[in-house]
Amino acid sequence: MGAKKKAKSLDHEMSDEMEEERTSMPVSKSQKVAKEHKEQLQRLQEKDPEFYQFLQEHDNELLEFDDDDIDDDVDTDVEDAEMQVDDEMVEQDAEDEEEKPSKSVITTAMVDSWCNAIKENGQLSAVRSLMRGFRIACHYGDDTGDDSSAKFSTMSSGVFNKIMLFVLSEMDGILRKLLKLPSSGGKKETITDIMHTKQWKKYNHLVKSYLGNSLHVLNQMTDTEMVSFTLRRLKYSSIFLAAFPSLLRKYVKVALHFWGTGGGALPVVSFLFLRDLCIRLGTDCLDDCFRGIYKAYILNCHFVNAVKLQHIQFLSNCVVELLGVDLPTAYQHAFVFIRQLAMILRDAFNVKTKEAFRKVYEWKFINCLELWTGAICAYGSEPDFKPLAYPLTQIISGVARLVPTARYFPLRLRCVRMLNRIAASTGTFIPVSMLLLDMLEMKELNRPPTGGVGKAVDLRTILKVSKPTLKTRAFQEACVYSVVEELAEHLAQWSYSVAFFELSFIPSVQLRNFCKSTKVERFRKEMRQLIRQIEANSEFMNERRASITFQPNDPAASFFLEDEKKAGSSPLSRYVLTLRQKAQQRYDSLMESSVLVGEKASVFGNKKLPASDDEDDTGDEQGAAVFSSSWLPGSASKDKPPKEEKKKKKKQQQEDVALEEDVVEDLVLSSDEDGSMSDAPSSDEDEDVKPVTPRKQNEKRKPKSLPKKNAKLQAKKPKKRKRTN
């Protein structure tokens, strides 16, 4: 017990001496303190060897003292001493806070001095001061109250811009120099190897401060160009997130949010940030990224129109690209998600209720099928992903046959396109011809149209048509032309097969029957042209297979006419090319004739991104242009528009609504909108309900106060006179 008391008293004496000398002595005498400490331990060993042996057994850390540690940490000790003195001064002045403020304002000269000291000498004290300023800049405007322990307080917008631009541009290189890492690149193992080194223990708080404060300001920013520049610079430091799992999860959530909802170049930048995370960190973030990006995709594909179709296609391409980073992990997630779709379809077949059908016949479900179709087409040849092709094909075929009515022809054609894509990418035969030939046998395509010409129908942007649209000439033409295109695509895939004659026999018979039954000459012309191309292709194949010697089960059959297939010389292949050109012309004319609302929202490639990490010469210029406004974090959410601006906006909205109502009243409406709003099949009771005429719909949609234009038109109409007996 006496030895323990001696150890405690000696420890206290040494610590007191060190504290007094450390606070009172200048920076240049820190090594002298270490030598005196070591001499004290030597004298103790000579005077009391038993007590020294006791310390070796119970408190060996006190004896293991090295001069190098003091030499390496001279700057940090001095910095800590200065911070400690500052803290003591703050505590002393806390009582007189009202009379003497303890904070100083960050000026442009201070920031310039820090930046110059870092560039010229790499001073660690300047780095720490700059990081304090960066933290204040990122938290500027937060409702957290006044922090009495902060050394600096307020700043101007110019100082904010200068700090943000310098830190985001230079901090990655500074941290890599301090941690003795390569100037760029690296993977998760690079960080795990240095996490136990002396440099990491000294500077990891700077890394965490940089990443944490950057994440905070990302959540506060509202300008898409600022967010894009910040994410683009943070991508170079994404490797450091391997040491901070909680920050990594938050960064993934923020990037996914910007990817799904951002405008301009922000979705592209966010996706590149996520992809870089998956490549560099591997298993640490793959699961979170795969699950998160699939959920974000589902949230953004509930509704589809001609413009948003481009945005959804972009999101789908991003998901497919991200899955290719690690196919074995992607297969596990894809299997779970495709199984969920299969369970929803199974419930619809078993329950057969309107709600169960609606879960299948909605854009969210169909766009998920489109996504996994794209994934199979991209990675179907890979052994890790190919087993998913068969279950996905079964699900798509089941969706096409769930409700076999003419109102769901657009959905069935969409399913057929997906099946043709899977068959072409995997090289497997999928019997899609019967799905198309069944459509030709329905009465809606065989009888003459009774609903007039009707407006053009874009089958890509709808899943279901209304009852009046079924009777229009435009809908019949769109369906018949689409059937011809998809059937020709299907047969062209096997136009070089030895069994093409047998494969095309039944479709040829069905097409001839349709030519006899239909009374529309345009449809007969299209079908006869397709039949002639099928017959020409059969002759093309029969001439070449007359000279073969191998059996049908011989592997040589798969390489039959390989050169002709690469050249695309079969009659059906050439015919399909002309059909694609005609279809593109029809879709272009539809886009030109329709009014595109929010057209610029789907354009992501206006600004060119750097081709690689090395070719980023324009980064500083773009950053200077971005961080040159008077925006500060927190100010956008706090500043409320004055009442006059609100009134002007409200008045402008009312005028816009009035203009829209004028246009609606002048146009002849059909009930397509009503039918396409809900993509679920109607019950038997709905079949007996008579469709509402366009005139009645207009009366229902008229506002209480009519615009002036419509009021004048109505005033000119003569009133009906009552007959008198």
Side-chain angles (χ1 to χ4, degrees):
M1 292 297 291
K4 290 185 178 179
K5 288 181 180 179
K6 268 187 178 184
K8 289 183 178 179
S9 62
L10 180 64
D11 200 356
H12 284 301
E13 289 175 4
M14 287 183 178
S15 61
D16 293 339
E17 291 177 3
M18 289 296 295
E19 286 292 327
E20 292 176 1
E21 290 177 298
R22 201 177 271 177
T23 54
S24 61
M25 294 176 65
V27 177
S28 60
K29 296 182 180 180
S30 58
Q31 296 181 359
K32 188 176 179 181
V33 174
K35 292 179 180 178
E36 290 179 0
H37 192 179
K38 197 168 185 179
E39 290 175 359
Q40 288 177 357
L41 294 176
Q42 290 177 356
R43 290 197 299 269
L44 178 65
Q45 185 178 8
E46 295 173 358
K47 291 181 180 179
D48 197 348
E50 295 180 359
F51 178 64
Y52 191 85
Q53 185 178 1
F54 173 80
L55 289 177
Q56 283 182 335
E57 295 175 358
H58 294 84
D59 197 357
N60 195 25
E61 294 180 358
L62 184 64
L63 302 179
E64 291 181 355
F65 193 82
D66 192 4
D67 295 341
D68 296 336
D69 295 340
I70 290 295
D71 294 339
D72 292 340
D73 298 338
V74 169
D75 294 338
T76 58
D77 289 341
V78 174
E79 186 76 22
D80 294 339
E82 291 178 357
M83 292 175 64
Q84 188 174 0
V85 172
D86 292 339
D87 294 340
E88 291 175 358
M89 293 294 293
V90 169
E91 291 177 0
Q92 292 175 1
D93 296 340
E95 299 176 356
D96 303 331
E97 191 174 5
E98 297 179 358
E99 299 178 0
K100 296 181 180 180
S102 61
K103 300 178 184 179
S104 60
V105 178
I106 301 177
T107 62
T108 306
M110 295 170 65
V111 177
D112 290 337
S113 64
W114 295 338
C115 297
N116 293 332
I118 293 172
K119 288 181 178 179
E120 295 174 0
N121 306 322
Q123 290 183 5
L124 184 61
S125 59
V127 174
R128 297 194 177 190
S129 299
L130 185 65
M131 289 308 297
R132 291 194 202 102
F134 181 65
R135 182 187 181 282
I136 295 172
C138 293
H139 289 265
Y140 188 89
D142 292 356
D143 296 331
T144 56
D146 294 333
D147 187 4
S148 59
S149 64
K151 189 175 181 180
F152 307 111
S153 59
T154 57
M155 63 176 64
S156 63
S157 60
V159 174
F160 169 82
N161 298 333
K162 188 178 289 292
I163 290 176
M164 295 296 295
L165 182 59
F166 183 83
V167 171
L168 291 175
S169 302
E170 304 293 338
M171 188 50 64
D172 178 71
I174 294 170
L175 293 175
R176 288 178 180 270
K177 286 181 182 178
L178 292 176
L179 297 173
K180 298 180 181 179
L181 292 176
S183 58
S184 63
K187 292 203 171 185
K188 178 179 66 174
E189 293 76 16
T190 309
I191 299 299
T192 55
D193 292 342
I194 69 165
M195 285 180 66
H196 302 289
T197 61
K198 187 182 298 183
Q199 287 82 6
W200 179 259
K201 292 178 181 178
K202 288 168 59 177
Y203 306 122
N204 66 341
H205 64 282
L206 293 177
V207 179
K208 189 173 184 180
S209 175
Y210 172 57
L211 295 175
N213 292 323
S214 300
L215 176 66
H216 181 81
V217 79
L218 275 177
N219 289 320
Q220 302 297 321
M221 286 180 178
T222 55
D223 185 76
T224 56
E225 292 184 358
M226 285 187 179
V227 178
S228 299
F229 177 79
T230 305
L231 272 180
R232 194 180 292 118
R233 299 308 308 177
L234 286 172
K235 188 182 75 169
Y236 299 107
S237 305
S238 60
I239 183 178
F240 295 119
L241 290 172
F244 309 105
S246 60
L247 280 178
L248 175 60
R249 290 191 293 269
K250 293 177 182 178
Y251 266 99
V252 169
K253 289 182 180 179
V254 169
L256 287 172
H257 171 73
F258 289 136
W259 173 74
T261 61
L266 183 55
V268 179
V269 175
S270 303
F271 170 72
L272 293 177
F273 180 83
L274 286 171
R275 186 175 179 273
D276 193 72
L277 279 180
C278 292
I279 292 174
R280 298 191 185 281
L281 304 187
T283 55
D284 288 354
C285 66
L286 279 176
D287 293 335
D288 291 338
C289 287
F290 286 167
R291 283 194 297 265
I293 200 169
Y294 183 67
K295 291 179 181 178
Y297 172 80
I298 292 175
L299 291 175
N300 285 276
C301 66
H302 282 276
F303 304 101
V304 171
N305 54 31
V307 176
K308 196 174 181 182
L309 196 63
Q310 301 175 7
H311 179 52
I312 293 175
Q313 185 62 43
F314 164 77
L315 297 180
S316 176
N317 293 339
C318 289
V319 177
V320 173
E321 179 69 21
L322 192 65
L323 293 175
V325 174
D326 191 335
L327 286 179
T329 306
Y331 172 82
Q332 298 175 3
H333 290 278
F335 180 85
V336 173
F337 296 140
I338 292 176
R339 184 174 178 271
Q340 291 175 355
L341 299 177
M343 293 174 66
I344 295 173
L345 179 62
R346 183 191 62 184
D347 293 341
F349 272 109
N350 294 337
V351 180
K352 294 183 179 179
T353 60
K354 190 174 182 179
E355 289 74 17
F357 288 147
R358 185 181 288 112
K359 290 180 181 179
V360 176
Y361 281 4
E362 64 178 356
W363 278 114
K364 181 170 65 174
F365 190 95
I366 301 302
N367 283 323
C368 288
L369 292 180
E370 291 275 5
L371 169 66
W372 297 120
T373 300
I376 294 298
C377 293
Y379 310 114
S381 59
E382 302 290 336
D384 293 326
F385 225 78
K386 191 172 183 179
L388 294 174
Y390 177 74
L392 183 64
T393 301
Q394 294 294 99
I395 294 172
I396 297 173
S397 300
V399 170
R401 292 186 172 91
L402 182 60
V403 182
T405 60
R407 296 185 68 181
Y408 289 95
F409 276 178
L411 184 142
R412 177 175 286 209
L413 289 169
R414 202 176 188 90
C415 292
V416 168
R417 292 190 196 100
M418 287 189 274
L419 294 175
N420 276 337
R421 289 171 57 193
I422 294 174
S425 61
T426 59
T428 56
F429 175 76
I430 300 176
V432 300
S433 59
M434 297 311 299
L435 291 173
L436 296 168
L437 297 173
D438 290 345
M439 294 172 60
L440 297 178
E441 294 180 357
M442 293 187 181
K443 58 183 180 180
E444 285 80 4
L445 297 183
N446 285 299
R447 62 189 179 189
T450 58
V453 177
K455 64 179 182 179
V457 181
D458 189 358
L459 300 178
R460 302 172 303 168
T461 59
I462 57 175
L463 299 179
K464 172 186 175 183
V465 296
S466 60
K467 296 176 186 177
T469 307
L470 287 175
K471 303 174 184 178
T472 60
R473 170 181 167 183
F475 174 73
Q476 289 185 352
E477 287 183 354
C479 286
V480 172
Y481 293 155
S482 298
V483 168
V484 171
E485 292 166 7
E486 298 305 324
L487 187 58
E489 287 275 0
H490 168 65
L491 294 176
Q493 293 175 6
W494 307 104
S495 59
Y496 304 94
S497 173
V498 182
F500 178 79
F501 177 77
E502 291 77 11
L503 177 68
S504 62
F505 178 76
I506 294 179
S508 299
V509 173
Q510 295 279 6
L511 292 175
R512 290 190 183 94
N513 292 337
F514 179 78
C515 289
K516 294 178 182 179
S517 61
T518 186
K519 298 179 181 179
V520 183
E521 186 60 30
R522 298 185 308 279
F523 298 164
R524 285 201 196 100
K525 183 179 179 181
E526 288 291 332
M527 294 301 172
R528 286 170 181 167
Q529 190 173 3
L530 178 57
I531 292 171
R532 284 195 294 269
Q533 297 297 330
I534 294 174
E535 292 175 348
N537 204 92
S538 298
E539 295 177 0
F540 170 81
M541 287 302 304
N542 289 336
E543 290 176 0
R544 284 158 177 77
R545 80 174 187 176
S547 59
I548 63 174
T549 57
F550 53 81
Q551 299 295 325
N553 59 353
D554 195 329
S558 58
F559 299 100
F560 182 62
L561 298 182
E562 191 71 20
D563 297 335
E564 288 82 352
K565 186 175 182 179
K566 292 179 181 178
S569 58
S570 69
L572 267 178
S573 297
R574 294 194 297 267
Y575 178 61
V576 165
L577 294 178
T578 60
L579 290 179
R580 289 175 184 170
Q581 293 175 358
K582 292 180 181 178
Q584 189 62 41
Q585 292 175 0
R586 286 203 307 273
Y587 291 141
D588 291 342
S589 63
L590 284 174
M591 293 294 292
E592 291 174 1
S593 61
S594 61
V595 179
L596 299 183
V597 181
E599 182 177 19
K600 297 180 181 179
S602 62
V603 180
F604 303 102
N606 289 340
K607 296 185 178 180
K608 294 183 180 180
L609 298 176
S612 64
D613 294 350
D614 300 331
E615 300 176 2
D616 197 15
D617 300 334
T618 60
D620 295 338
E621 297 178 2
Q622 292 178 357
V626 169
F627 286 99
S628 60
S629 64
S630 60
W631 181 87
L632 285 176
S635 60
S637 59
K638 291 181 179 180
D639 297 338
K640 296 182 180 179
K643 294 182 179 180
E644 295 181 359
E645 293 183 2
K646 286 186 176 181
K647 290 181 180 179
K648 288 181 180 180
K649 288 183 179 180
K650 190 173 182 182
K651 188 175 180 181
Q652 184 66 28
Q653 290 177 357
Q654 290 178 353
E655 292 178 357
D656 295 341
V657 170
L659 290 174
E660 290 177 0
E661 289 169 353
D662 289 343
V663 175
V664 169
E665 292 295 331
D666 293 339
L667 294 176
V668 178
L669 299 177
S670 65
S671 59
D672 293 352
E673 288 81 1
D674 295 341
S676 60
M677 287 297 290
S678 62
D679 293 328
S682 58
S683 58
D684 295 335
E685 296 177 359
D686 295 338
E687 298 292 336
D688 300 330
V689 179
K690 296 181 179 180
V692 183
T693 59
R695 186 175 180 182
K696 290 183 179 180
Q697 285 183 352
N698 290 338
E699 292 175 358
K700 290 181 180 180
R701 296 181 183 179
K702 286 180 183 178
K704 293 182 180 179
S705 59
L706 290 172
K708 294 181 179 180
K709 182 179 178 181
N710 293 337
K712 291 180 181 179
L713 290 175
Q714 287 190 352
K716 294 180 181 179
K717 293 181 180 179
K719 296 182 179 179
K720 294 183 179 180
R721 298 180 180 179
K722 297 182 179 179
R723 294 183 179 180
T724 56
N725 295 328

